[in-house]
Amino acid sequence: MAGHRRAKATPSFGRLYLAMTEQVAFSVTTTRSVDVEGIALHADLSGALFWEEQRLLVVSDLHLEKGSSFATRGVLLPPYDTVATLGRLAAVVARHDPRAVIALGDSFHDRTAHERLSADDRDAVAALQAGRDWIWIAGNHDPALPRDLGGTIADEIAIGPITFRHEPTGARGEIAGHLHPKARVSARGRSMERRCFASDGMRAVMPAFGAYAGGLSIRDAAFAKIFPRSGFVAHLLGDRRVHAIAASRCY
Amino acid sequence: MTAVDASCPTTPSTNPSSRLTCNAVPPRILKTSAEPAALLPDRFRAWFAARGWSPRAHQLALLEKAREDRSALLIAPTGAGKTLAGFLPTLVELSSAPVAPAKSVVSTGRTLQRSGGLHTLYISPLKALAVDIARNLERPVAEMGLPIKVETRTGDTPVSRRQRQRRYPPDILLTTPEQVALLLSSDDAPFLFSSLRRIVLDELHALVTSKRGDLLSLGLARLWRLAPQLRAIGLSATVAEPDQLARVLVPQPGGKEAAADIVIAGGAAPPLVEMLDTRERLPWAGHSARHALPEIYELIKANKTTLVFVNTRSQAEMLFQNLWSMNDDGLAIALHHGSLDVAQRRKVEDAMSAGRLRGVVCTSSLDLGVDWGDVDLVVNIGAPKGSSRLMQRIGRANHRLDEASRAVLVPANRFEVLECRVAIDAIADNAQDTPPLRTGALDVLAQHVLGCACGEPFLSDELYEELRTAAPYANLSRQDFDDVVEFVASGGYALKTYERFARIRQDKEGRWRVANPKVRQSYRMNVGTIVADDMLKVRLVRSRGGGAGSVIARGGRLLGEIEEAFIEGLSPADTFVFSGEVVRYETLVEDQVYVSRANDKDPKVPSYMGGKFPLSTYLAERVRRLLDDGRAWNGLPEQVRDWLSLQREVSRVPAVRELLVESFPRANKHYLVCYPFEGRLAHQTLGMLLTRRLERARARPLGFVANEYAIAVWALGDMSFMIRDGRIDLNALFDPDMLGDDLEAWLAESALMKRTFRNCAIISGLIARRHTGEEKSRRQVLFSTDLVYDVLRKHQADHVLLRAARADAATGLLDLRRLGDMLARIQGHITHRELDRVSPLAVPVMLEIGRESVYGEAGDELLAEAADELVKEAMS
C-alpha cells in the first residue's frame, strides 16, 4: 500500500528491542491509511491524523491539565500529564513536520486549565507552533479558548470535502473527536484494549491524544448514531503498528 | 471429657499427641500452677459446674496472664473453647466491677473521662463471626447474671445505633478492623477508647497475612497510645512462627523485639488423614476430580456431615452439579462460596448448624468462621497447597478435642497425588508453613495517616514513633514515613504544584490536620484494604445465532456474577461453564454479560482460573524430595509409580536442587518444558520473562502455559538444536539477572502490575473506590489507573505508590521473591534432556495447553490476528 511510512527505531521506541515478533523488531510502521471521502489520510500510531497532501496534522482531545483539574477536587493525580502529552505531540510533529496543526477540541480539560499551565509548558506550546499554522478548535471542555497561547481559534474548519469539528454529527466528510474511541479485541482467553480511530470511509472519529484521556468502547450506542450502517472499521493503536479491525470484531 | 486438658508437657516424648503442639514452643509457656479457685470467682466456678464443665488449662492460663497484666497469644485448635478463653478475663473483671453510672455522661470533646465505658474490643475478620460470637457470649452473661452489655458494630449496623454506641459505648464491642479504623478517625476516639482494657483478636493467623493485618496493627498502635493500660489476647490456629505472631500483640520498643506470652492449648488428638485410594484411572491433568465422583458421593453417604473443600468457585459449582446429578438418595447437599448471595450463604450456614445437611461443597469461604460441631469428615479435592492451610481445613471437622478429625484428600491429577502425599507427611510431622510476618505496606500506611489527620491533629515525630510500635512497621524508615505524609498531603510529587490542593495541612505548631471536611468524608467512604474484583452480572438470553454484534434482546434470567477480567478474555461465541452449565458468550452491555445456552459438552474456554493461593514453598520442597527419593515412591499409588519410573527411563526425574529442562519437537513446533515447582504465580512471571529472552535469542516463541509445577514454552525455532549449538545457553537463560532489565521492561506493560498499582492507588486514597455521581457509566470511567501508572512510571519512577506496588509484586500476583529464590537455588544445577517426544512428566502441563489460558501479554500479534480475519472475510 502506498503512503506507508517506515521510520527507523528511535530511543522513544525503546520497547521495540523487547518486541515479541521478530520481523518488526527494528522497524516500525507508524501509520496506516484511512480514507475519508476519497481523501487518503494517515492514522498515526500516536493517535494523530496526518493529511500528507496538505501537510496537515490533527490531534484531538489533549485534555491538558486533567491531572490538576482532579487535584482541585482532592484527587491528586500525578501532575505530569501535560508534560507527557506535549512530549508525545512534539515527537509526532517532529516526525511529520506539518505545515499546520489542528487541535480538534478539548485541548484543555477545563475552562481554567490554561491558567495552570507551567511556564515550561507554555514555552513548549510556543515551540510547537513556531513556523506553522496552529488552529485550536473549541470543544465542550474548552468552549472559551485562551487568547494568549498563540494560534487561531475556531469552532470548526473545512478543507476541501473534509470538515473538522469537535463533536461528531455523523455528517459526511466529518472528522471529529470527543468520543475517545477505544476497542477491545480478544482471542483464546487473552484480550487487549486500545485507543482507535473509527471510520467508515465517509467520516471518522479520532482517538483522544491526552495522556490521561480515557476511552469509550466503539460498541457504545454513541457510535451507532454516527455510523448509521454497521460496518465501520476500528484502527487500533498497537505497540508498533496501527491495525484495521472490523468494529463488529471488537467490543 | 477430661477434666483439664493437658497443658503442653515439658517433656514432649511420652504423649503421642504432643507433636501436634510442642514443636518450636518457647520456654515461657505457662504451666498452670494456680488453682482455679484463685483465678475464677465463685459465680464462674458455679456456672462451669452447673454445665458439667471444668475450666480448661489454657482458659485458666489466660486468666492468669490477665492477672499478671500480660498480653497473650493463645494457640489452639478449633473446639478448644478458644473464644470463651479469650473473653474470660473480661467477664471476670467486669463481673467484679461496680456497675458504671455512665449513662448520664455524654461525649462532648476529647478530655471527658468517665468510669465504666468500653472495656473490651473483639475483632474478627468476618462480620458473621462477630455476630455469632455476640450470640455465644449472651449465654454465660445471662446465665451468670453479669451486668455486662455486649454489642456488635459492622457495616450492617444501623447509623442510629452506631451513633449511640459512640456516646454510650457497651462494655464489650464486637467488630471488624475497618470499623476500628473508622472509630479511630473520629473526634470521639479518645473518649471512646481511653477506658479500653482488653482487646481480643480472633483468627489472628488469618488476619495478619493481608493488608487488613497492617491496618489492624496500625490501629493497635493508636489504641496503645490512647489506652496505655490496654492488654491484648490473640486467638490463633497453629502457625510456623508463633514468636513472630506474638509480636503483633504488644507495642514494639524501638530497636528491640517484644512479644506477648504464648499459651498453647494441648491435648488435641492428631488428625486422621488419608488419600483417596481410587479404583479409577488417575487423570493426567485437570482439576475436576470427576473420576472420583462416585467415591466422593459414597463418603458423603457414609458420614453424618461432610465438608467438601475445593480450591475455586468454578470447581465448587461443577462438583455440586455433578453430585446432584447422581444423588439418587436425595442427600441434603448444599453449596457455599464467596460469590453466592449473602442471604443464601446464611441459609446454608443455618441449615448446617441445625444439622440438616449431609454435605456442603465449599471454597475457602468456609476456611474461617462459625464453628459447627457436627462435621465428622472433611474431604479436600485437589491440591492441598500448604500444610497449615490444610490442617486448618481439617480442623473444621469434629470440634471435640479428644477425638481425631478425619479427612480424605482427593487428588485430581497425578501431580496432585505427589502433593497430597507430602501434605499428609507434613501433617504427621506437624510441620507448619504459614507465611512469615508481613512488612507493613506503604499504601495502608497512607490510609492510616489520613485517618489520623481526620481525628486529632498529629505531629510527624510523634506519629512516627507511634507507628513503629506496630510490629509490621517496626522497621519503617523515617524517609518512607515522610514520603507517605507528603503523599497524603499533596501527592508526594517531585513537581510541587499541588500545595494549594493539599488534603492535610500543618498548623503553626506543625500539627497536621485535614484541610477540609470533604477530605474526612472521602476517607470514610474509602476506608479498608479489600479491593473487590470488578464483577459483571450474567444474564441468560436466547441466542440470535448471528455473528458477533448481532442485537440481543435485553433482560433475561440473572445467573449470577462473574469477574470482569475473565469476560474480557472472551470473544463472542466462546463457550464456558457458568452456574453449572455450558453457556455461549453473546455480548457485553455496560455491566451485563449476555450468554445463551450452548449445546457443546465441553467449554471452549476454561474457567478454572487457578486458586488464590499457590503451592507453598515448603510443600514444593517436599515434593522435590519425594521425587528424588525412589524408595519413597512405594508410598504412592501404582499408577503414579509407573509414571515416574517411565520418566526415569526416557528422561530424568529431577533431583532436589536441580532444575530439569526438557526440549522436544511436536507437531511442527518446538517445546521447552522446565519443572521449578514454585507455584503458578511465580511460574507465570517466569514464563513471561523466558519468552522475552527466547525472543531475543531468535527462538521465535509463540506462547506458554504454567501450572503449579512446570512451565511449557513453545516456539517455531528448534530450541533443542539451539541449545546444542550454544545459541541458547540455559545457564544464561535462567540467570537471576532476568529480574533486572527484563523484569523492568515487562513491568512497564504488565497487566498484573497495573492491577497491583490500581489496588495500591485505591487503598492509599489516591483515587476513590467510586466517584459517586461522576461516573457516566461503567464503560467510560473518568480516568484509567493504567494511564496514571504509565505517566507516573515515566516521570517519577521512585514515587511512593510505585514503591508500594513493587513491594506487593514481590509477594503477590507476580511472586517475584519466590522466583528470585528459585533462580538463585538452581544456578549451576540445570540439567537438560533433549528428547524426541514429550516426556511422561511433561504430559500434565502439555495438557493444559488449550485448557488453561495461554499467558503472554497480548500484543500486536493478537491485533494482527484479528486484522487478518478481516482480510479473510473481505476476500471470501
Side-chain angles (χ1 to χ4, degrees):
Chain A
M1 271 186 278
H4 274 204
R5 283 189 164 218
R6 285 189 177 268
K8 278 261 169 71
T10 64
S12 64
F13 290 98
R15 273 162 40 164
L16 285 183
Y17 295 107
L18 306 153
M20 288 285 283
T21 31
E22 194 183 337
Q23 60 271 26
V24 289
F26 295 101
S27 71
V28 66
T29 314
T30 60
T31 65
R32 168 176 281 276
S33 178
V34 178
D35 288 359
V36 177
E37 290 292 83
I39 304 284
L41 304 161
H42 298 297
D44 190 278
L45 192 56
S46 66
L49 194 68
F50 188 54
W51 186 347
E52 196 162 28
E53 196 183 289
Q54 299 278 336
R55 285 183 56 219
L56 171 71
L57 186 79
V58 189
V59 288
S60 190
D61 297 272
L62 301 179
H63 285 267
L64 297 176
E65 292 300 310
K66 180 169 178 176
S68 63
S69 185
F70 275 86
T72 62
R73 283 174 279 154
V75 181
L76 304 178
L77 299 184
Y80 305 117
D81 55 317
T82 298
V83 171
T85 303
L86 292 177
R88 285 178 44 227
L89 184 51
V92 67
V93 164
R95 199 151 64 236
H96 295 290
D97 189 23
R99 188 177 49 77
V101 172
I102 294 177
L104 198 55
D106 286 0
S107 304
F108 302 93
H109 188 70
D110 59 49
R111 283 161 197 250
T112 55
H114 61 277
E115 295 165 13
R116 299 193 302 272
L117 286 177
S118 70
D120 286 351
D121 294 337
R122 287 173 169 269
D123 291 349
V125 171
L128 284 172
Q129 292 172 339
R132 57 180 59 92
D133 292 335
W134 190 280
I135 299 141
W136 300 108
I137 301 278
N140 53 314
H141 278 255
D142 53 0
L145 283 154
R147 305 268 158 195
D148 59 346
L149 270 174
T152 311
I153 292 168
D155 282 337
E156 55 180 66
I157 187 166
I159 302 173
I162 307 288
T163 303
F164 296 94
R165 67 167 67 91
H166 179 64
E167 289 193 37
T169 62
R172 287 186 72 137
E174 176 184 82
I175 292 177
H178 183 61
L179 291 177
H180 300 204
K182 69 173 181 184
R184 177 176 293 281
V185 171
S186 39
R188 297 184 309 276
R190 294 195 292 175
S191 83
M192 64 187 300
E193 184 178 70
R194 288 300 166 96
R195 294 180 298 151
C196 64
F197 293 85
S199 170
D200 63 355
M202 285 169 272
R203 50 190 77 74
V205 181
M206 293 183 59
F209 194 88
Y212 284 169
L216 178 67
S217 166
I218 55 164
R219 301 301 293 276
D220 190 276
F223 289 93
K225 280 184 206 142
I226 295 160
F227 300 105
R229 262 172 286 166
S230 61
F232 65 101
V233 172
H235 300 265
L236 272 77
L237 309 181
D239 292 332
R240 299 170 298 273
R241 280 195 289 158
V242 179
H243 303 264
I245 299 173
S248 58
R249 174 71 177 74
C250 311
Y251 66 89
Chain B
M1 180 172 289
T2 46
V4 175
D5 298 316
S7 173
C8 200
T10 41
T11 49
S13 57
T14 49
N15 183 349
S17 70
S18 65
R19 66 181 172 174
L20 199 75
T21 53
C22 284
N23 64 335
V25 171
R28 56 198 150 67
I29 287 298
L30 168 126
K31 287 208 51 182
T32 317
S33 52
E35 285 299 307
L39 293 162
L40 268 188
D42 291 345
R43 256 205 272 208
F44 286 77
R45 262 183 303 154
W47 180 75
F48 272 97
R51 306 184 64 83
W53 292 354
S54 295
R56 291 182 173 155
H58 59 267
Q59 292 171 334
L60 295 175
L62 286 186
L63 275 176
E64 194 170 358
K65 289 294 167 201
R67 209 176 49 178
E68 292 166 2
D69 202 24
R70 306 279 298 169
S71 289
L73 171 64
L74 172 63
I75 291 181
T78 33
K82 203 159 36 172
T83 317
L84 183 59
F87 280 105
L88 262 187
T90 297
L91 298 180
V92 168
E93 277 163 27
L94 286 172
S95 71
S96 53
V99 178
K103 299 242 159 154
S104 57
V105 184
V106 174
S107 160
T108 51
R110 339 208 124 114
T111 51
L112 195 56
Q113 286 279 349
R114 57 163 209 172
S115 61
L118 191 60
H119 178 282
T120 293
L121 261 185
Y122 163 89
I123 297 174
S124 117
L126 303 171
K127 321 192 258 219
L129 196 51
V131 175
D132 190 61
I133 297 290
R135 264 202 304 265
N136 292 348
L137 268 181
E138 271 162 21
R139 197 154 146 194
V141 167
E143 288 174 357
M144 285 186 271
L146 302 175
I148 298 174
K149 201 162 117 199
V150 181
E151 285 183 6
T152 57
R153 182 188 182 94
T154 69
D156 301 336
T157 308
V159 178
S160 59
R161 191 191 311 165
R162 281 197 241 177
Q163 276 171 352
R164 180 172 51 71
Q165 283 172 344
R166 274 160 57 174
R167 292 201 158 58
Y168 308 107
D171 301 292
I172 300 176
L173 185 66
L174 312 164
T175 187
T176 60
E178 291 73 23
Q179 291 296 324
V180 173
L182 280 172
L183 285 171
L184 281 170
S185 74
S186 77
D187 285 339
D188 295 332
F191 161 78
L192 198 57
F193 292 117
S194 59
S195 61
L196 198 63
R197 185 74 187 90
R198 312 218 156 265
I199 184 162
V200 180
L201 306 170
D202 206 352
E203 308 274 15
L204 188 61
H205 61 282
L207 264 176
V208 294
T209 55
S210 68
K211 288 187 177 180
R212 282 182 103 191
D214 295 349
L215 188 68
L216 177 64
S217 292
L218 292 166
L220 267 177
R222 179 119 284 214
L223 289 173
W224 286 320
R225 194 176 61 73
L226 294 174
Q229 73 282 359
L230 174 65
R231 295 296 172 264
I233 293 176
L235 309 176
S236 168
T238 315
V239 293
E241 295 178 315
D243 287 9
Q244 288 301 305
L245 190 58
R247 289 179 57 220
V248 172
L249 299 170
V250 296
Q252 297 300 302
K256 292 192 303 264
E257 289 192 356
D261 294 348
I262 298 173
V263 174
I264 296 185
L272 299 172
V273 190
E274 53 185 320
M275 188 169 6
L276 181 73
D277 188 12
T278 182
R279 300 180 293 268
E280 309 295 324
R281 212 178 122 71
L282 272 166
W284 287 93
H287 306 278
S288 68
R290 204 172 285 167
H291 69 284
L293 273 169
E295 290 158 320
I296 296 167
Y297 183 75
E298 288 306 315
L299 285 171
I300 296 174
K301 205 170 149 185
N303 286 279
K304 212 159 48 191
T305 305
T306 304
L307 282 185
V308 186
F309 280 102
V310 295
N311 285 326
T312 70
R313 192 202 61 208
S314 64
Q315 272 176 294
E317 291 256 12
M318 284 276 242
L319 182 65
F320 176 68
Q321 295 291 333
N322 288 332
L323 285 174
W324 265 99
S325 70
M326 61 170 60
N327 193 356
D328 297 335
D329 305 283
L331 303 181
I333 299 174
L335 176 68
H336 191 285
H337 63 65
S339 300
L340 288 176
D341 186 53
V342 180
Q344 201 175 339
R345 267 184 281 165
R346 288 298 99 78
K347 240 165 75 185
V348 171
E349 288 163 16
D350 290 345
M352 187 84 181
S353 306
R356 291 200 305 270
L357 296 181
R358 296 293 300 279
V360 181
V361 177
C362 56
T363 62
S364 56
S365 62
L366 284 189
D367 277 359
L368 299 177
V370 182
D371 285 357
W372 295 315
D374 283 339
V375 177
D376 52 356
L377 180 69
V378 163
V379 174
N380 194 79
I381 311 275
K385 309 267 191 174
S387 74
S388 294
R389 172 166 297 279
L390 184 61
M391 279 185 240
Q392 284 155 26
R393 281 188 170 179
I394 292 173
R396 305 294 285 163
N398 187 17
H399 287 166
R400 276 196 303 279
L401 264 185
D402 43 2
E403 281 173 33
S405 302
R406 286 168 50 239
V408 175
L409 309 187
V410 182
N413 61 52
R414 290 168 184 231
F415 261 119
E416 288 182 351
V417 170
L418 304 179
E419 199 178 320
C420 288
R421 178 71 255 156
V422 298
I424 290 171
D425 296 343
I427 288 175
D429 296 347
N430 192 33
Q432 302 291 338
D433 55 2
T434 46
L437 206 59
R438 288 171 54 84
T439 301
L442 294 180
D443 52 343
V444 181
L445 182 60
Q447 186 182 107
H448 180 73
V449 166
L450 185 58
C452 288
C454 290
E456 218 177 344
F458 67 83
L459 286 169
S460 284
D461 289 353
E462 284 176 14
L463 184 60
Y464 177 60
E465 289 312 315
E466 176 191 311
L467 295 175
R468 289 197 312 155
T469 62
Y473 294 90
N475 297 317
L476 177 71
S477 76
R478 181 65 196 234
Q479 184 66 51
D480 279 347
F481 171 75
D482 288 338
D483 287 353
V484 165
V485 174
E486 272 301 305
F487 165 79
V488 173
S490 53
Y493 302 112
L495 192 64
K496 304 241 175 245
T497 55
Y498 287 170
E499 305 294 340
R500 65 212 141 116
F501 309 128
R503 294 182 295 182
I504 62 173
R505 294 180 196 286
Q506 277 178 298
D507 62 18
K508 274 177 257 135
E509 287 85 47
R511 285 179 195 279
W512 292 94
R513 59 176 73 232
V514 286
N516 59 63
K518 267 191 177 164
V519 175
R520 196 174 276 133
Q521 208 180 337
S522 107
Y523 168 79
R524 301 236 156 100
M525 300 286 291
N526 287 293
V527 84
T529 60
I530 299 167
V531 181
D533 284 339
D534 287 328
M535 301 297 279
L536 302 170
K537 291 196 167 60
V538 181
R539 286 186 182 278
L540 187 68
V541 293
R542 286 169 69 130
S543 176
R544 288 297 174 89
S550 60
V551 182
I552 288 282
R554 302 291 171 87
R557 185 159 63 86
L558 184 64
L559 293 182
E561 296 201 325
I562 197 164
E563 292 86 358
E564 185 170 17
F566 176 73
I567 291 300
E568 282 176 352
L570 299 184
S571 319
D574 279 351
T575 53
F576 62 101
V577 177
F578 191 78
S579 205
E581 52 187 318
V582 180
V583 293
R584 178 182 190 268
Y585 172 52
E586 297 286 344
T587 189
L588 172 72
V589 181
E590 300 201 339
D591 64 343
Q592 314 268 326
V593 180
Y594 293 91
V595 300
S596 61
R597 240 181 221 115
N599 296 322
D600 317 22
K601 246 201 184 130
D602 290 310
K604 193 165 145 201
V605 179
S607 47
Y608 178 81
M609 305 264 288
K612 268 207 307 236
F613 308 97
L615 171 68
S616 81
T617 312
Y618 175 78
L619 281 194
E621 164 87 22
R622 281 188 89 128
V623 169
R624 286 198 306 270
R625 269 194 272 146
L626 172 63
L627 281 177
D628 198 13
D629 179 4
R631 279 166 313 174
W633 297 0
N634 289 329
L636 297 171
E638 198 182 343
Q639 304 178 47
V640 176
R641 265 194 329 258
D642 293 348
W643 170 51
L644 294 179
S645 304
L646 190 60
Q647 169 71 16
R648 190 157 53 188
E649 244 166 73
V650 304
S651 173
R652 183 180 165 80
V653 173
V656 176
R657 295 186 55 82
E658 176 183 74
L659 178 72
L660 174 65
V661 179
E662 296 172 333
S663 60
F664 51 87
R666 191 168 181 272
N668 300 326
K669 290 188 196 111
H670 297 271
Y671 290 81
L672 187 114
V673 179
C674 63
Y675 307 89
F677 296 95
E678 292 295 346
R680 50 188 282 134
L681 298 179
H683 287 173
Q684 280 166 32
T685 304
L686 178 59
M688 288 306 312
L689 299 175
L690 281 181
T691 38
R692 273 175 183 279
R693 295 193 145 197
L694 288 168
E695 181 67 44
R696 223 167 24 220
R698 312 218 154 217
R700 287 180 290 161
L702 296 171
F704 74 93
V705 287
N707 64 13
E708 294 280 356
Y709 320 100
I711 301 166
V713 186
W714 57 96
L716 292 173
D718 182 347
M719 292 184 283
S720 289
F721 179 74
M722 293 175 80
I723 293 170
R724 216 182 310 136
D725 88 341
R727 276 191 288 154
I728 294 176
D729 172 355
L730 286 177
N731 278 314
L733 188 65
F734 288 93
D735 193 288
D737 69 5
M738 76 168 72
L739 297 179
D741 290 349
D742 282 340
L743 177 66
E744 281 307 311
W746 176 53
L747 288 185
E749 48 201 89
S750 155
L752 286 175
M753 191 62 193
K754 285 175 178 171
R755 186 156 18 129
T756 304
F757 176 79
R758 175 172 172 269
N759 289 353
C760 289
I762 291 172
I763 292 171
S764 69
L766 176 73
I767 58 168
R769 279 160 208 269
R770 250 180 236 104
H771 285 269
T772 322
E774 294 179 357
E775 207 170 322
K776 284 181 196 161
S777 79
R778 283 184 53 80
R779 310 311 298 169
Q780 187 178 26
V781 291
L782 285 172
F783 51 83
S784 131
T785 52
D786 292 3
L787 298 176
V788 171
Y789 172 79
D790 291 341
V791 168
L792 188 55
R793 207 172 177 281
K794 210 168 276 170
H795 290 86
Q796 194 174 341
D798 65 344
H799 187 266
V800 65
L801 265 195
L802 291 173
R803 299 204 315 259
R806 290 298 297 266
D808 282 4
T811 54
L813 294 170
L814 293 91
D815 224 353
L816 292 177
R817 188 181 300 157
R818 191 157 168 195
L819 177 56
D821 291 348
M822 187 277 287
L823 293 173
R825 185 188 77 227
I826 57 144
Q827 273 308 289
H829 301 282
I830 299 175
T831 307
H832 174 233
R833 283 287 181 274
E834 185 183 328
L835 309 173
D836 57 4
R837 72 183 69 172
V838 57
S839 75
L841 205 56
V843 169
V845 70
M846 293 287 289
L847 283 172
E848 306 277 13
I849 297 171
R851 292 202 201 195
E852 287 271 344
S853 323
V854 174
Y855 295 101
E857 302 287 329
D860 275 335
E861 330 87 87
L862 184 67
L863 294 180
E865 192 182 311
D868 284 348
E869 283 172 25
L870 180 71
V871 174
K872 272 189 226 144
E873 220 175 278
M875 305 297 281
S876 62

